[in-house]
């Protein structure tokens, strides 16, 4: 279906430079929204087309289930694993969670599967660890050569081995060595001047290992990859395409609702100081909770984390330190109305924020969500963290080490709060103690926050330092080690890799169900995607093609 998209032309980079205000505070200018009211009228399908697809998809869903059950009953372990992997990468695995769990449990219980095949062993290891099974990395020992290295001339096996090795936990030297030794092999494949599927996959594997990919973005990409495979199953392919389109229509309905809400919010709020990024935020939050049946979860997350982005812009870009103190004190008291001594524009923003948060809490209570009160606690925690950043900024304080920096900057990157809101949004799936657990920064949450903090700083530190802003982890690392910015960034990337190991470890420890832990992993995945090449939330033209592929163009 052909669709014409009319969007505002993205502003040039100079639009992010600070502009002096009469009160002496520097205000950064941001490019306008690329989407405007596009989703108010955009409908990827007519109701008749959608109804027809849904009816056909119901039949196809059961046909694919039969394929999965028949394969599960066979003795072909490679076929079982490849089918599970394909269903998940095609974006339809959520339909068959129970069946997939049973397949993987059986594979885990059979210690002999894939013992002589590097590709099968790697795929088995990857899938089992991804689903929280604590399989030992010793399964790779038998594949070592005389020098202790593991590799393969089969590019598919090499890529699968590389992906499996990125499921490492702290201290697993064998997996670290696999990554180090085979990276150059994959790079030589990726450098080939060929546009083959194998070369493209090698490039993509090097850029983002499989475990770190945003699931819905991967689904859109992998459907095209799977379609070109000689050994594809056409029934599975057809169902994946239909399901993608049906879910896309759900997302567009949510975007329409959010556009109406956002336009009303903006009509009552001075937005000159802020990034107008509702659609981009929706994409970000969809990455955390993508399943179609979690519609209100995505709406809640988009609204709340948009508030956090606005608070960030208020504190960074709009207020004096005295005004920030008054704003924070009012938040702490949870005043019904903003203090009279706040400037008018801040009073309006405060009142708008409070009324929206209360509305969300009331909605959660109506839905019998026992974690409704946690929303207010999390919002205040964010405000308090931003306030602490401002104090550092005003004192021109540079922490002595990256570790000291992270003690205060991890909370203010709001990864914990965002992940926790995702848990809250799931309703009965999340017990109250899980929310409190996440609030206290257990290792997996701390690791997600480190990925967020450092990834953000690497991509935005130069722009943010052009105006009044707390020093980033980049500047702190430069001071700590006496190195250049480029050298500091390489050191910080090591911190990020260690954090990903802790995330994998958290999935294996399973303090709570893998369903909840997956949402925290998704938080890290979306952060990796947003900050891969640029701060794509701020410089939102970088997300235009991805958003178009997910919400505008159907398959």
């Amino acid at each position: 279906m052909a669709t014409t998209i009319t969007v505002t032309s993205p502003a040039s980079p100079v639009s992010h430079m600070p502009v002096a205000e009469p009160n002496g505070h520097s205000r950064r200018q941001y490019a306008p929204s690329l989407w405007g009211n596009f989703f108010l009228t955009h409908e990827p399908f007519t109701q008749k087309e959608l109804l027809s697809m849904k009816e056909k998809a119901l039949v196809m869903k059961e046909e694919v289930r039969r394929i999965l059950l028949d394969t599960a009953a066979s003795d072909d372990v490679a076929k079982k694993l490849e089918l599970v992997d394909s269903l998940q990468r095609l974006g339809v695995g959520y339909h068959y969670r129970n069946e997939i769990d049973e397949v993987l449990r059986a594979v885990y219980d059979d210690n002999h599967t894939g013992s002589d095949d590097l590709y099968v062993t790697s795929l088995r290891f990857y899938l089992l660890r991804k689903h929280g099974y604590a399989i030992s990395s010793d399964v790779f020992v038998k594949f070592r050569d005389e020098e202790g290295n593991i590799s393969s001339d089969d590019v598919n096996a090499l890529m699968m081995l590389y992906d499996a090795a990125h499921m490492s936990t702290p201290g697993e030297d064998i997996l670290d060595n696999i990554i180090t030794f085979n990276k150059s092999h994959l790079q030589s494949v990726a450098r080939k001047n060929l546009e083959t599927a194998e070369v493209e996959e090698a490039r993509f594997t090097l850029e983002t290992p499989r475990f770190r990919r945003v699931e819905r973005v991967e689904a859109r990409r992998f459907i095209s990859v799977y379609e070109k495979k000689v050994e594809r199953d056409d029934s599975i392919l057809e169902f994946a395409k239909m399901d993608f389109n049906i879910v896309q229509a759900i997302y567009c309905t949510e975007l329409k609702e959010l556009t109406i809400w956002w336009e009303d919010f903006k009509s009552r709020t001075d937005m000159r100081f802020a990034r107008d990024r509702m659609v981009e935020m929706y994409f970000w939050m969809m990455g955390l909770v993508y399943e179609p049946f979690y519609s209100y979860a995505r709406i809640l997350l988009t609204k709340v984390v948009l508030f956090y982005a606005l608070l960030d812009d208020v504190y960074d870009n709009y207020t004096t330190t005295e005004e920030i103190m008054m704003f924070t004190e009012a938040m702490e008291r949870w005043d019904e109305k903003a203090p009279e001594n706040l400037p008018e524009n801040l009073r309006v923003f405060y009142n708008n924020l409070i009324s929206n948060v209360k509305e969300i809490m009331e909605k959660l209570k109506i839905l019998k969500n026992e974690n409704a009160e946690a929303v207010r606690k999390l919002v205040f925690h964010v405000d308090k963290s931003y306030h602490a950043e401002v104090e550092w900024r005003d004192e021109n304080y540079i922490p002595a080490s990256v570790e000291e920096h992270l003690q205060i900057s991890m909370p203010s990157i709001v990864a914990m709060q965002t992940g926790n809101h995702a848990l809250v949004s799931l309703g009965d799936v999340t017990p109250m103690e899980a929310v409190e657990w996440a609030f206290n920064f257990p290792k997996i949450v701390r690791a997600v926050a480190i990925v967020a903090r450092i990834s953000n700083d690497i991509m935005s530190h130069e722009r943010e330092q052009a105006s009044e802003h707390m020093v980033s982890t980049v500047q702190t690392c430069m001071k700590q080690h006496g190195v250049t910015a480029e050298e500091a960034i390489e050191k910080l990337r090591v911190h990020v890799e260690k954090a990903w190991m802790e995330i994998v470890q958290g999935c294996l420890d399973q303090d709570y169900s893998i369903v909840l832990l997956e949402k925290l992993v998704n938080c890290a995945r979306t952060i990796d995607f947003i900050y891969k090449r640029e701060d794509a939330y701020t410089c939102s033209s970088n997300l235009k093609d991805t958003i178009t592929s997910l919400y505008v163009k159907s398959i």
Side-chain angles (χ1 to χ4, degrees):
M1 182 179 294
T3 307
T4 301
I5 313 170
T6 304
V7 296
T8 309
S9 297
S12 61
V14 75
S15 66
H16 300 296
M17 296 300 289
V19 175
E21 292 292 304
N23 63 5
H25 196 80
S26 294
R27 174 187 291 179
R28 289 195 295 273
Q29 302 288 347
Y30 296 112
S33 169
L34 287 168
W35 299 97
N37 292 332
F38 175 79
F39 288 99
L40 274 181
T41 55
H42 171 63
E43 292 184 359
F45 308 100
T46 66
Q47 287 301 310
K48 185 178 180 180
E49 289 171 332
L50 194 56
L51 180 60
S52 175
M53 267 195 299
K54 286 180 177 178
E55 290 174 349
K56 191 172 183 181
L58 283 174
V59 176
M60 294 300 300
K61 176 181 173 181
E62 295 311 311
E63 185 174 336
V64 173
R65 193 187 307 277
R66 283 194 295 274
I67 294 171
L68 177 56
L69 292 173
D70 289 346
T71 304
S74 75
D75 294 326
D76 192 333
V77 176
K79 192 173 180 181
K80 291 179 189 179
L81 294 171
E82 287 183 328
L83 179 57
V84 167
D85 189 49
S86 293
L87 291 175
Q88 293 187 334
R89 294 176 75 189
L90 288 165
V92 296
Y94 71 91
H95 287 291
Y96 312 107
R97 179 177 282 275
N98 291 337
E99 291 86 349
I100 287 173
D101 286 346
E102 289 177 11
V103 169
L104 293 178
R105 167 56 66 180
V107 169
Y108 177 72
D109 289 340
D110 182 357
N111 294 322
H112 302 290
T113 52
S115 58
D116 298 319
D117 187 296
L118 181 59
Y119 171 79
V120 175
T121 299
S122 299
L123 179 56
R124 177 176 180 266
F125 182 85
Y126 168 77
L127 286 174
L128 289 176
R129 283 216 168 176
K130 176 185 174 186
H131 285 263
Y133 290 94
I135 178 174
S136 171
S137 55
D138 289 346
V139 296
F140 292 107
V141 170
K142 66 181 67 167
F143 297 103
R144 283 174 166 169
D145 61 21
E146 294 178 356
E147 296 178 355
N149 297 316
I150 304 172
S151 191
S152 174
D153 294 329
D154 180 340
V155 176
N156 285 322
L158 185 62
M159 288 189 289
M160 195 63 251
L161 176 64
Y162 191 77
D163 281 329
H166 277 88
M167 300 302 295
S168 63
T169 59
E172 291 191 296
D173 293 341
I174 188 170
L175 300 181
D176 295 342
N177 291 338
I178 287 172
I179 294 172
T180 302
F181 184 73
N182 288 292
K183 188 171 186 177
S184 60
H185 291 235
L186 276 178
Q187 286 171 335
S188 67
V189 174
R191 281 194 294 266
K192 290 180 180 178
N193 191 25
L194 299 170
E195 294 305 317
T196 65
E198 196 174 73
V199 171
E200 284 300 309
E201 280 299 297
R203 291 170 183 164
F204 200 71
T205 298
L206 284 167
E207 181 181 76
T208 309
R210 197 177 300 188
F211 182 64
R212 302 182 189 181
R213 298 173 194 170
V214 176
E215 291 173 283
R216 207 65 196 166
V217 177
E218 173 68 357
R220 180 63 186 88
R221 188 194 75 88
F222 191 68
I223 286 172
S224 298
V225 173
Y226 187 79
E227 189 168 21
K228 297 173 185 174
K229 288 178 178 285
V230 175
E231 67 274 20
R232 71 179 182 272
D233 186 300
D234 288 332
S235 295
I236 293 174
L237 177 63
E238 184 181 2
F239 176 58
K241 287 182 175 182
M242 281 191 292
D243 191 70
F244 181 91
N245 290 338
I246 291 166
V247 175
Q248 181 186 75
I250 293 170
Y251 292 157
C252 288
T253 299
E254 294 165 8
L255 279 165
K256 180 177 181 178
E257 178 181 336
L258 283 165
T259 299
I260 294 169
W261 166 80
W262 184 233
E263 290 303 309
D264 176 66
F265 186 94
K266 290 193 298 182
S267 72
R268 294 181 283 112
T269 306
D270 181 359
M271 291 289 294
R272 290 174 297 164
F273 66 90
R275 293 163 288 183
D276 186 350
R277 302 290 184 267
M278 187 279 291
V279 174
E280 290 78 8
M281 183 61 76
Y282 175 83
F283 161 74
W284 197 334
M285 296 304 104
M286 176 220 68
L288 271 71
V289 186
Y290 68 89
E291 298 92 337
F293 42 83
Y294 285 131
S295 183
Y296 183 66
R298 283 184 292 278
I299 291 172
L300 178 155
L301 283 166
T302 302
K303 289 181 177 181
V304 171
V305 186
L306 258 178
F307 297 152
Y308 293 164
L310 293 177
L311 275 171
D312 187 31
D313 290 337
V314 164
Y315 280 15
D316 275 357
N317 204 27
Y318 197 58
T319 53
T320 65
T321 302
E322 183 181 0
E323 290 165 351
I324 287 171
M325 291 179 65
M326 289 189 289
F327 194 97
T328 300
E329 288 169 0
M331 288 285 291
E332 186 170 5
R333 294 191 301 269
W334 204 248
D335 291 343
E336 290 289 333
K337 291 186 178 180
E340 289 298 321
N341 53 351
L342 271 181
E344 173 63 20
N345 44 20
L346 275 182
R347 285 206 307 274
V348 172
F349 173 65
Y350 176 93
N351 293 333
N352 230 344
L353 172 64
I354 295 296
S355 65
N356 272 276
V357 171
K358 286 184 175 180
E359 184 179 317
I360 288 168
M361 291 169 62
E362 289 304 314
K363 173 72 172 179
L364 289 174
K365 289 174 181 176
I366 291 170
L367 295 172
K368 308 296 183 185
N369 189 313
E370 63 181 7
N371 294 307
E373 287 296 327
V375 174
R376 178 169 61 187
K377 181 180 179 181
L378 289 164
V379 171
F380 173 64
H381 190 273
V382 170
D383 180 77
K384 196 172 181 181
S385 299
Y386 286 159
H387 189 188
E389 274 198 359
V390 170
E391 290 178 345
W392 271 21
R393 179 197 73 194
D394 290 350
E395 294 169 3
N396 294 315
Y397 181 68
I398 302 178
S401 67
V402 172
E403 288 70 22
E404 182 191 353
H405 193 294
L406 290 171
Q407 288 303 312
I408 194 164
S409 62
M410 278 195 306
S412 64
I413 199 64
V414 305
M416 178 279 286
Q417 297 87 341
T418 301
N420 219 335
H421 280 301
L423 301 185
V424 168
S425 74
L426 302 183
D428 293 343
V429 176
T430 308
M432 291 181 72
E433 55 267 26
V435 174
E436 192 61 33
W437 166 80
F439 191 86
N440 289 313
F441 282 92
K443 282 187 177 180
I444 187 172
V445 173
R446 187 178 189 276
V448 173
I450 289 172
V451 171
R453 176 77 276 161
I454 294 177
S455 299
N456 175 287
D457 284 358
I458 287 173
M459 288 301 164
S460 61
H461 73 100
E462 289 184 356
R463 183 185 66 251
E464 290 183 338
Q465 296 307 314
S467 61
E468 296 178 40
H469 201 276
M470 182 185 80
V471 296
S472 71
T473 50
V474 176
Q475 279 80 29
T476 298
C477 189
M478 290 169 65
K479 175 187 175 183
Q480 179 182 359
H481 298 286
V483 296
T484 65
E486 291 75 17
E487 291 168 329
I489 287 170
E490 288 307 307
K491 288 181 178 293
L492 289 170
R493 291 194 192 281
V494 174
H495 283 270
V496 171
E497 290 304 312
K498 289 180 179 178
W500 274 106
M501 292 180 189
E502 291 290 358
I503 290 170
V504 174
Q505 185 66 62
C507 291
L508 301 182
D509 291 342
Q510 289 213 29
D511 292 326
Y512 288 93
S513 78
I514 197 70
V515 174
L516 300 185
L517 298 176
E518 281 173 354
K519 305 312 175 193
L520 301 177
V521 177
N522 284 344
C523 190
R525 288 169 175 152
T526 56
I527 289 160
D528 179 77
F529 186 87
I530 292 289
Y531 296 111
K532 178 68 73 177
R533 300 179 187 86
E534 175 59 272
D535 175 355
Y537 180 76
T538 300
C539 306
S540 57
S541 58
N542 292 279
L543 289 176
K544 180 185 171 185
D545 289 346
T546 300
I547 289 172
T548 298
S549 71
L550 292 180
Y551 310 134
V552 180
K553 293 182 178 179
S554 51
I555 300 178

